[in-house]
Amino acid sequence: MNFFDNATCYGSDEAETRFGDAFALTGIKREDVIIQSKVGLCFERNEFDWTKENILSSVDDSLRRMKLDYLDAVLLHRPDLIFDPEEVAQAFDELEQSGKVRHFGVSNVPTLQMELLKKYVKQPLVFNQLQLSLEQSQLIDQALYVNNKTTDMSIDRDNGTLDYCRLNDITIQAWSPLQYGMFEGSFIDSPKFPQLNQALQELGDKYGVSKAAIAIAWILRHPAKMQAIVGTMNPKHLIDVCAAADVELTHHEWYQLYLAAGKFLP
Ligand SMILES: NC(=O)c1ccc[n+]([C@@H]2O[C@H](COP(=O)([O-])OP(=O)(O)OC[C@H]3O[C@@H](n4cnc5c(N)ncnc54)[C@H](OP(=O)(O)O)[C@@H]3O)[C@@H](O)[C@H]2O)c1
């Protein structure tokens, strides 16, 4: 595990400052890790801002706080409803030319907005960070029921973003991969999800790993070759989830978990 996801808005500016302080103490070489930040979500101003000025100043702030010369990747965090793709393109060009950012991407951005960006932005969009967990699996569900009107599972909420990313070699980063709802908590060991926890436990026993590792392995099993962005304050939990990388769930086990999470097949 060598990939760190940050954002200008996390913990106000506290998260990146603490990350920078901690990283300096480790003695790990900068080139041995991948450090990403996200810009454009401005809680303090109550707006989302993809203007050139904000993108450039946010990257400078992140570099200063983390004491870095460059970011491996920067993502536009969540759509600015009045964004101008030409301005984004200018900002990305400056960041690339100055060597401050090596790769560019987006987060929570649906298909046509990626197309709009691609009309102007020269650099490939390499990532789209999207909400995906066993419980919050809308990204995947919608293909199952196509145009059926008897269930909400058929609602296309993002205009085919999963397939668009696969077609365009954009790696999906699954955020909140262990949570249910919108930041309602982890489903691991939650009494609200008895069937899911039982299925996770059974497969955890089979593979000799934790329930959380199985939940992450479910994401890694998807042929889109997604990354899972896990958050933890507990070093043991971090070690637990790393084991997911060594688990290759079978096709049938992937479906077993999907159904145990309350989904149903047509
Ligand atoms: N792009 C976006 O809009 C967006 C939105 C939200 C999040 N994110 C990114 O996604 C990351 C993860 O999101 P998140 O923290 O909301 O959700 P998460 O990783 O799905 O869940 C975190 C919760 O799971 C628990 N947990 C973690 N590992 C565990 C383990 N091995 N066993 C049992 N419980 C475990 C944590 O508790 P402990 O601390 O006790 O381990 C915490 O309560 C964030 O840090 C952020 O980088 C991005």
Side-chain angles (χ1 to χ4, degrees):
M1 193 177 274
N2 63 350
F3 190 110
F4 298 92
D5 180 58
N6 287 300
T8 48
C9 64
Y10 287 167
S12 304
D13 58 3
E14 193 70 6
E16 290 191 333
T17 303
R18 289 190 182 207
F19 175 86
D21 291 345
F23 185 70
L25 289 174
T26 63
I28 294 170
K29 282 197 230 143
R30 171 66 184 90
E31 59 271 27
D32 288 346
V33 292
I34 300 163
I35 301 176
Q36 165 175 284
S37 191
K38 304 192 285 301
V39 302
L41 219 163
C42 307
F43 286 132
E44 73 291 354
R45 285 190 267 133
N46 224 6
E47 63 182 307
F48 297 168
D49 185 346
W50 288 8
T51 58
K52 179 181 171 187
E53 186 191 10
N54 186 60
I55 293 171
L56 293 178
S57 66
S58 297
V59 168
D60 282 341
D61 288 345
S62 289
L63 291 173
R64 178 179 44 77
R65 287 193 290 252
M66 292 192 274
K67 303 177 209 29
L68 302 174
D69 300 328
Y70 69 94
L71 292 171
D72 293 281
V74 78
L75 311 187
L76 301 171
H77 204 154
R78 214 172 239 290
D80 171 356
L81 299 176
I82 50 172
F83 83 94
D84 175 351
E86 291 178 78
E87 258 194 71
V88 173
Q90 287 168 17
F92 282 9
D93 281 346
E94 278 193 30
L95 291 170
E96 186 180 53
Q97 279 154 21
S98 63
K100 291 178 183 175
V101 175
R102 299 197 170 172
H103 300 282
F104 298 85
V106 293
S107 174
N108 306 303
V109 171
T111 302
L112 285 177
Q113 289 200 333
M114 282 188 278
E115 276 288 300
L116 183 55
L117 279 170
K118 274 165 57 129
K119 180 172 175 188
Y120 298 93
V121 167
K122 288 203 302 272
Q123 299 77 11
L125 299 175
V126 295
F127 297 127
N128 193 352
Q129 193 173 114
L130 296 157
Q131 185 175 25
L132 175 65
S133 74
L134 265 161
E135 201 274 336
Q136 286 292 304
S137 59
Q138 302 75 249
L139 189 70
I140 291 172
D141 299 338
Q142 59 202 21
L144 202 56
Y145 281 86
V146 205
N147 56 6
N148 184 284
K149 71 173 184 181
T150 64
T151 169
D152 276 0
M153 277 173 76
S154 63
I155 297 173
D156 181 350
R157 296 170 194 272
D158 57 27
N159 205 7
T161 296
L162 170 62
D163 294 326
Y164 179 89
C165 288
R166 295 182 77 179
L167 279 166
N168 289 278
D169 300 320
I170 297 170
T171 299
I172 291 175
Q173 300 180 337
W175 63 256
S176 292
L178 300 175
Q179 294 228 37
Y180 61 94
M182 185 80 169
F183 309 123
E184 286 180 58
S186 167
F187 52 75
I188 303 292
D189 294 330
S190 165
K192 290 185 179 166
F193 301 95
Q195 214 188 328
L196 176 58
N197 274 284
Q198 192 187 334
L200 290 168
Q201 186 66 58
E202 282 168 16
L203 289 172
D205 291 344
K206 173 182 167 185
Y207 287 100
V209 301
S210 69
K211 292 197 272 187
I214 296 294
I216 298 301
W218 181 81
I219 290 171
L220 302 182
R221 174 64 178 77
H222 195 285
K225 298 187 171 52
M226 302 178 192
Q227 300 174 338
I229 308 287
V230 186
T232 177
M233 301 292 284
N234 179 334
K236 182 184 172 305
H237 283 169
L238 188 61
I239 292 166
D240 279 353
V241 291
C242 284
D246 299 321
V247 174
E248 176 80 15
L249 295 173
T250 66
H251 194 276
H252 182 65
E253 287 164 349
W254 190 93
Y255 270 93
Q256 272 183 301
L257 290 166
Y258 184 71
L259 297 176
K263 318 300 151 97
F264 41 92
L265 305 182

